[in-house]
Amino acid sequence: MKDVTPQTVYLKDYRVPDFLIDNTDLVFDLREEHCRVTSSLRIRRNPDSATQLAPLVLDGGCAVDLQWVEIDGRRLGSDGYARSENSLTIAELPDSCVVTTEVLIKPHLNTSMMGLYRSRTLYCTQCEAEGFRDITFYLDRPDVMSEFTAKLIADRQRYPVLLSNGNAIDQGTMEDGRHFVVWHDPFKKPAYLFALVAGDLSSVEDSFVTLSGREIKLQIFVEEKDLNKCDHAMLSLKNAMRWDEQTYGREYDLGRFMIVAVDDFNMGAMENKGLNIFNTSAVLANPDTTTDAAFQRVEGIVAHEYFHNWSGNRVTCRDWFQLSLKEGFTVYRDAQFSADMNSAVVKRIEDVVYLRTHQFAEDAGPMSHPVQPDSYMEINNFYTLTVYEKGAEVVAMIHNLLGDKTFRQGSDLYFSRHDGQAVTIEEFVSAMEAVSGLDLQQFRLWYKQSGTPVVEVQSNYDAQAKTYQLQFKQSCPDTPGQTHKKPFLIPIKLGLVAADGQDLPLNSHGDRSLVISLTEQTQTVLFENIQQAPVPSLLRGFSAPVRLNYPYSSAQLAHLMANDSDGFNRWDAGQTLSFSVMQRLIEEALDQRELEVSSQLIEVFDGLLSDHSLDPAMLNLMLQLPSEAQLHERADIIHVQAIHRARQFARRSIAQALQSKLLETYKRLTEQRDYAPVADQIGRRALRNSVLGYLMLLEEIGPELAWQQFNSATNMADKAAALNALVNCAAAQDYAQQALQAFEQQYAQETLAMNLWLQIQATNSQPNGLDRIKALMEHSAFSINNPNKVRSLMGAFCSSNPINFHNPEGSGYQFLQQQIIQLNALNPQVAARLVTALTRWKKFPEPNRQLMRDALQLIASKQDLVKDLREIVSKSL
Ligand code: 0A1
Ligand code: ZN
């Protein structure tokens, strides 16, 4: 795991592989003390390689213990090959042959959760991006695609279920209580899509009949105790399968589709061919233990992994610089799916909030990189919001530029042209160009230039000429390694809203909403026959991932909130208004002036609460003030206390001014129906729980209400919201303690519910947060070896409890630095994710700035830092 001087890998250095692997035959002999892996690779020279005499260099991590090598059945002496720390080199090979190796690996000692490892009583694998090389020697790169056969042998009692990709073609029992299953995957695939699972699992089964009439067996494998938590994932899977047939014409290709839930997993889930492996948190759901948000996350991730079968597996990436080819596209596909299954505008708003809060911050920070990076030290550091979420926005822009029909033609062409291939982002864009006849040359900059573009807009109404002019000016800040950027092609969807709230006709066709493509640094658009000065509604639906500024007056924003025909912009107008109010409060707090919330904001909120025709989910979103994290992202200098105080003050003022309407709303939304995780109920619960959040700021009302809700809740969504409300309320600490205890007793056996319990406490903004974290680390519900638990406790504390984490003594930073050092040796990926909380030190005022930097420097001074951390820490210092 050690890497003193990590090497940088460059996109420009890409070369085709010197060898291809037509067939991969693997035997896994799983024993408690080790696993013996025998691998037979039918290889041949790649006719496209420029170096026809090159030796075979197989990747293999240092924990892979080589036993022997054979070429076409002939054992090599130790002078026949060379083993270095990360590879095995064999010179003088015939142009085609079978290379067989036998290695020993130790899954029970593997804490990184890459390669073959143990999760509780199971064996499982994670091979993306470069985990296969920790299992055996291989050409571990996505452009080497091979037909895999895997024989798994293990003790029959402890590991009755043996799974791998494709179809089970043979099985049998052996002497001394062992058994085996042979799996064959007819589809060629890169090693990163290989998977195996062995363990004592139960399964829920169902079936799906494809459009062409083939019956697919669907199986979700879990521990027996979790069998009652699989229905939602199964339903989501079937919905996703149908949706992909209808929306993209994509049918599933194997006879069965399997999902396995594991407790120890670094990410959400993994799209291994025919055998998806999921973090339990991304598959298990049941009303008693799972919040609404978690139900929706399960639906989205199940769909995401399923959609990868085409966008990722059938057509895969040539190299890891192309990661967004599969991830950006698949996130876009899962967002479309979730929009179709629930409320499209709500999904859009949630996604944009997430992008603006987290991806914008990444794009402005030391790790800023393009959607298609051009270099990396550790590829695991590039599974980022930029590659995933911004990558999805770029696909969304292509869809909007082409229109529905042409976009579908483009995706059809892309899938048919490149089925079975490992390709680049360029091929995706080319297919879209080919079907549309558009020139996307300038558009491609979205993949190559990092940073969030800024669009400044000015307007001018000429009452005599009846013309309305919009002037656009775009720019993009410098980012590491990139200065003086070229103008992007920015699609701006817009409308002009008249005094009566109607959209004005914008051209002779009578269009009332248009997409303007900005291509220049400055650009002017003139609208004629505009009878009155309108309010511009800009960037409708968030038509491009940019920051757009227009000097709106509060009255104009209120007009858009009330009238904009674009739901997204109705919401966004409210956000802009709230932001300006918050900005002023933060300044007042910094200047030690008395805080005062503008009456305009109160009036707007009053109006919203009085309007019972609003969709509860939308009303909920409109009542949200920007989060502290969003305010941090927007600030030039992050004044943690002032921001926290200003926001709390605004919330309290709203609660005080609108007490009776809030209370009335809370009561009105009491759910009479049985719990179901469906959009309309989720929206009502979300609104009711937000209102509860406001009411908590009224000491005479909130604590009692939350306590009642906690005790009477019939589902985890309401229970967790009540617990969270109590825990964060100074006046409700007695109730909070009782509720925490009751929760702990009730859910002691429910790992995911206990993670939520940890998370709610980790984000408690009451004083002395760090002491609580340290105490919870001793609790039996916590373990530093489990990524979900580290995220729930340390991750939540560092990223979502700013007032405690960023305390001016720096104890939060010291604590994090110590945890990172510990995780460095245990789980590099988890460590690298956590360290992000320190990397934006330049945005903080003293003393925090220096204290954060000190913590980073301490980490940097560690000798045996893994390259995941080395890369991030060095780039941020
Ligand atoms: N391809 C997966 C994400 C993923 C990436 C790396 C992993 O290794 C730790 C695991 C999962 C997806 O997009 O869902
Ligand atoms: Zn993915």
Side-chain angles (χ1 to χ4, degrees):
M1 277 205 265
K2 282 169 230 157
D3 245 301
V4 188
T5 46
Q7 299 249 308
T8 300
V9 184
Y10 295 94
L11 169 58
K12 64 175 165 49
D13 292 343
Y14 174 82
R15 301 285 177 278
V16 299
D18 294 325
F19 288 87
L20 303 174
I21 306 176
D22 292 321
N23 296 84
T24 301
D25 282 305
L26 304 167
V27 180
F28 290 86
D29 190 5
L30 292 154
R31 312 256 172 186
E32 295 308 298
E33 65 287 4
H34 62 234
C35 175
R36 187 178 300 274
V37 186
T38 314
S39 145
S40 293
L41 312 177
R42 176 166 292 285
I43 67 162
R44 65 187 156 90
R45 277 193 191 276
N46 181 0
D48 296 336
S49 164
T51 39
Q52 290 294 320
L53 292 173
L56 174 69
V57 183
L58 298 171
D59 304 296
C62 52
V64 175
D65 180 5
L66 179 63
Q67 303 297 296
W68 47 258
V69 187
E70 286 178 2
I71 306 296
D72 289 331
R74 246 192 301 271
R75 192 71 58 105
L76 295 189
S78 57
D79 54 350
Y81 57 87
R83 172 76 163 111
S84 78
E85 203 182 349
N86 294 312
S87 63
L88 174 67
T89 303
I90 309 171
E92 292 167 43
L93 283 176
D95 285 347
S96 76
C97 62
V98 175
V99 177
T100 306
T101 59
E102 187 173 288
V103 305
L104 293 181
I105 50 177
K106 300 202 164 155
H108 62 287
L109 299 183
N110 178 357
T111 60
S112 70
M113 290 165 208
M114 288 297 282
L116 178 61
Y117 66 97
R118 291 196 67 112
S119 176
R120 290 159 66 95
T121 56
L122 295 180
Y123 285 103
C124 63
T125 54
Q126 171 56 41
C127 294
E128 186 179 7
E130 297 180 336
F132 196 76
R133 63 187 63 186
D134 295 326
I135 295 176
T136 186
F137 292 100
Y138 206 73
L139 295 176
D140 191 7
R141 44 188 289 172
D143 57 352
V144 172
M145 300 174 74
S146 181
E147 191 178 322
F148 279 70
T149 306
K151 178 176 187 175
L152 318 188
I153 312 167
D155 183 82
R156 192 148 76 119
Q157 207 118 59
R158 303 182 70 158
Y159 308 100
V161 175
L162 300 174
L163 307 174
S164 189
N165 318 85
N167 311 307
I169 55 170
D170 192 13
Q171 62 187 67
T173 53
M174 302 159 76
E175 74 295 356
D176 59 18
R178 295 170 69 74
H179 73 143
F180 71 89
V181 181
V182 181
W183 291 83
H184 172 249
D185 181 357
F187 292 93
K188 283 192 157 214
K189 65 169 176 287
Y192 85 86
L193 290 172
F194 171 81
L196 83 74
V197 172
D200 187 1
L201 291 161
S202 303
S203 68
V204 170
E205 295 197 7
D206 205 329
S207 69
F208 178 86
V209 180
T210 68
L211 264 192
S212 69
R214 285 182 313 112
E215 183 168 331
I216 317 289
K217 180 163 161 172
L218 311 177
Q219 295 173 297
I220 301 181
F221 292 88
V222 295
E223 284 185 38
E224 195 180 357
K225 66 179 170 60
D226 292 324
L227 277 172
N228 61 346
K229 303 190 188 78
C230 299
D231 293 354
H232 187 64
M234 187 64 90
L235 178 65
S236 303
L237 174 61
K238 290 188 286 183
N239 287 339
M241 293 177 87
R242 187 65 73 217
W243 185 91
D244 211 19
E245 293 180 342
Q246 289 168 348
T247 315
Y248 281 88
R250 299 295 117 197
E251 218 177 82
Y252 187 62
D253 47 15
L254 286 162
R256 66 162 123 176
F257 185 80
M258 298 175 279
I259 288 178
V260 179
V262 305
D263 248 316
D264 302 280
F265 201 74
N266 283 339
M267 311 275 261
M270 179 63 210
E271 70 264 22
N272 317 299
K273 183 77 187 187
L275 178 58
N276 289 359
I277 297 182
F278 272 61
N279 189 321
T280 43
S281 75
V283 61
L284 303 181
N286 140 337
D288 183 42
T289 53
T290 311
T291 62
D292 286 329
F295 266 98
Q296 292 197 302
R297 179 167 177 266
V298 167
E299 176 180 70
I301 298 185
V302 167
H304 179 98
E305 306 310 331
Y306 174 74
F307 296 154
H308 268 316
N309 191 54
W310 275 95
S311 49
N313 302 3
R314 289 289 287 257
V315 182
T316 195
C317 300
R318 186 192 73 173
D319 55 72
W320 294 120
F321 297 103
Q322 319 300 327
L323 184 56
S324 196
L325 174 73
K326 72 178 177 81
E327 296 305 346
F329 188 23
T330 305
V331 171
Y332 179 63
R333 278 151 56 68
D334 84 57
Q336 286 182 294
F337 167 76
S338 294
D340 285 351
M341 293 293 125
N342 301 286
S343 152
V345 59
V346 169
K347 170 70 178 158
R348 185 67 186 138
I349 291 169
E350 289 168 351
D351 285 352
V352 172
V353 168
Y354 188 63
L355 188 88
R356 282 178 173 162
T357 310
H358 303 291
Q359 195 279 325
F360 280 18
E362 181 171 278
D363 234 350
M367 282 293 287
S368 180
H369 56 276
V371 172
Q372 180 179 70
D374 39 33
S375 71
Y376 59 76
M377 288 181 199
E378 170 53 64
I379 184 56
N380 288 327
N381 287 335
F382 287 80
Y383 286 76
T384 60
L385 296 148
T386 301
V387 167
Y388 276 64
E389 270 68 27
K390 187 176 181 179
E393 293 298 322
V394 176
V395 176
M397 286 190 285
I398 295 180
H399 187 160
N400 288 330
L401 288 169
L402 268 62
D404 291 343
K405 209 170 138 221
T406 312
F407 181 73
R408 170 64 194 272
Q409 287 168 349
S411 67
D412 283 351
L413 178 64
Y414 167 73
F415 287 128
S416 64
R417 249 190 200 171
H418 301 297
D419 190 7
Q421 298 177 359
V423 302
T424 61
I425 287 172
E426 175 54 30
E427 261 104 19
F428 181 79
V429 180
S430 294
M432 295 296 169
E433 250 173 352
V435 293
S436 64
L438 288 177
D439 176 356
L440 296 174
Q441 208 44 45
Q442 184 184 13
F443 184 86
R444 285 174 171 80
L445 290 172
W446 281 109
Y447 288 106
K448 308 261 181 206
Q449 292 189 152
S450 54
T452 307
V454 180
V455 179
E456 302 287 348
V457 191
Q458 298 280 342
S459 65
N460 184 30
Y461 180 63
D462 184 334
Q464 282 209 316
K466 303 277 184 239
T467 57
Y468 184 72
Q469 181 179 292
L470 287 172
Q471 290 160 326
F472 297 88
K473 187 161 183 264
Q474 64 159 301
S475 60
C476 185
D478 290 349
T479 42
Q482 292 195 354
T483 54
H484 301 98
K485 290 169 208 190
K486 298 188 188 133
F488 291 85
L489 189 161
I490 304 179
I492 307 266
K493 186 172 183 196
L494 57 80
L496 301 179
V497 184
D500 65 357
Q502 297 298 306
D503 282 338
L504 292 172
L506 302 173
N507 54 23
S508 52
H509 307 297
D511 291 326
R512 286 163 198 266
S513 199
L514 276 185
V515 180
I516 307 286
S517 285
L518 301 187
T519 54
E520 310 292 325
Q521 205 164 45
T522 59
Q523 211 165 315
T524 304
V525 185
L526 190 75
F527 300 95
E528 291 176 335
N529 289 319
I530 304 295
Q531 300 304 317
Q532 45 167 294
V535 181
S537 167
L538 303 165
L539 206 67
R540 283 183 162 171
F542 198 67
S543 60
V546 301
R547 300 175 201 267
L548 183 139
N549 299 316
Y550 175 84
Y552 284 112
S553 68
S554 307
Q556 287 178 315
L557 290 170
H559 190 62
L560 290 181
M561 279 182 86
N563 298 297
D564 201 318
S565 60
D566 184 75
F568 176 87
N569 269 15
R570 273 202 304 282
W571 165 82
D572 207 23
Q575 286 293 294
T576 307
L577 184 66
S578 303
F579 258 113
S580 66
V581 172
M582 292 307 306
Q583 215 66 53
R584 204 164 328 128
L585 283 172
I586 293 166
E587 277 161 31
E588 286 168 1
L590 278 174
D591 297 349
Q592 318 267 357
R593 274 182 284 155
E594 203 182 318
L595 305 192
E596 201 183 336
V597 175
S598 95
S599 57
Q600 193 130 30
L601 187 71
I602 307 276
E603 274 163 36
V604 165
F605 274 43
D606 193 355
L608 289 171
L609 285 167
S610 313
D611 182 355
H612 293 191
S613 70
L614 277 175
D615 168 31
M618 273 302 276
L619 175 55
N620 171 50
L621 292 168
M622 297 185 95
L623 292 179
Q624 305 297 321
L625 292 180
S627 65
E628 286 180 51
Q630 265 178 295
L631 293 165
H632 288 192
E633 197 286 315
R634 284 275 196 107
D636 293 325
I637 298 289
I638 301 173
H639 295 282
V640 176
Q641 273 95 354
I643 288 173
H644 182 74
R645 192 171 148 235
R647 190 168 184 278
Q648 280 299 97
F649 180 82
R651 285 172 55 78
R652 191 181 301 275
S653 306
I654 291 166
Q656 281 164 350
L658 303 174
Q659 170 171 341
S660 59
K661 282 200 179 136
L662 287 166
L663 201 51
E664 184 266 316
T665 307
Y666 182 84
K667 299 212 165 116
R668 179 165 60 86
L669 290 167
T670 305
E671 188 60 71
Q672 308 296 343
R673 298 168 287 185
D674 284 347
Y675 177 90
V678 293
D680 130 75
Q681 281 197 26
I682 291 175
R684 288 168 58 96
R685 275 190 291 274
L687 174 57
R688 188 163 181 266
N689 287 320
S690 294
V691 166
L692 177 65
Y694 279 109
L695 291 168
M696 293 312 287
L697 299 157
L698 306 172
E699 294 172 10
E700 333 73 67
I701 302 180
E704 283 306 323
L705 271 191
W707 178 239
Q708 269 174 33
Q709 176 170 322
F710 180 82
N711 289 305
S712 62
T714 60
N715 60 75
M716 183 54 90
D718 286 333
K719 197 166 200 95
L723 181 63
N724 186 55
L726 292 169
V727 163
N728 276 283
C729 175
Q733 288 306 297
D734 285 349
Y735 283 153
Q737 289 315 313
Q738 289 180 59
L740 283 168
Q741 268 175 28
F743 190 108
E744 182 185 351
Q745 263 178 12
Q746 186 172 354
Y747 297 106
Q749 302 309 318
E750 296 288 350
T751 309
L752 296 173
M754 285 310 286
N755 291 351
L756 186 59
W757 182 83
L758 292 172
Q759 189 193 324
I760 287 172
Q761 296 179 79
T763 52
N764 176 1
S765 60
Q766 305 295 304
N768 303 321
L770 184 57
D771 296 338
R772 288 191 297 272
I773 301 294
K774 289 181 176 166
L776 285 168
M777 285 182 68
E778 305 299 318
H779 194 281
S780 60
F782 180 77
S783 159
I784 197 160
N785 296 312
N786 179 270
N788 289 353
K789 295 188 179 297
V790 174
R791 278 188 283 266
S792 297
L793 195 60
M794 280 100 109
F797 177 69
C798 300
S799 67
S800 309
N801 194 345
I803 194 75
N804 277 298
F805 174 63
H806 292 283
N807 70 65
E809 291 76 49
S811 56
Y813 309 147
Q814 267 173 30
F815 165 78
L816 179 57
Q817 168 250 313
Q818 288 157 1
Q819 300 310 315
I820 286 172
I821 300 290
Q822 198 181 342
L823 283 160
N824 173 56
L826 280 175
N827 189 326
Q829 286 180 39
V830 171
R833 299 246 164 211
L834 270 189
V835 82
T836 315
L838 293 169
T839 55
R840 294 177 201 137
W841 57 275
K842 284 186 185 147
K843 279 191 77 172
F844 288 80
E846 298 296 358
N848 298 66
R849 185 184 155 100
Q850 187 59 41
L851 291 164
M852 290 173 90
R853 195 175 172 192
D854 291 347
L856 274 176
Q857 248 148 4
L858 261 172
I859 298 171
S861 68
K862 269 272 305 172
Q863 285 297 308
D864 55 353
L865 213 57
V866 291
K867 66 177 172 175
D868 311 53
L869 278 171
R870 176 74 61 207
E871 174 168 37
I872 299 180
V873 170
S874 64
K875 287 182 178 172
S876 24
L877 284 168

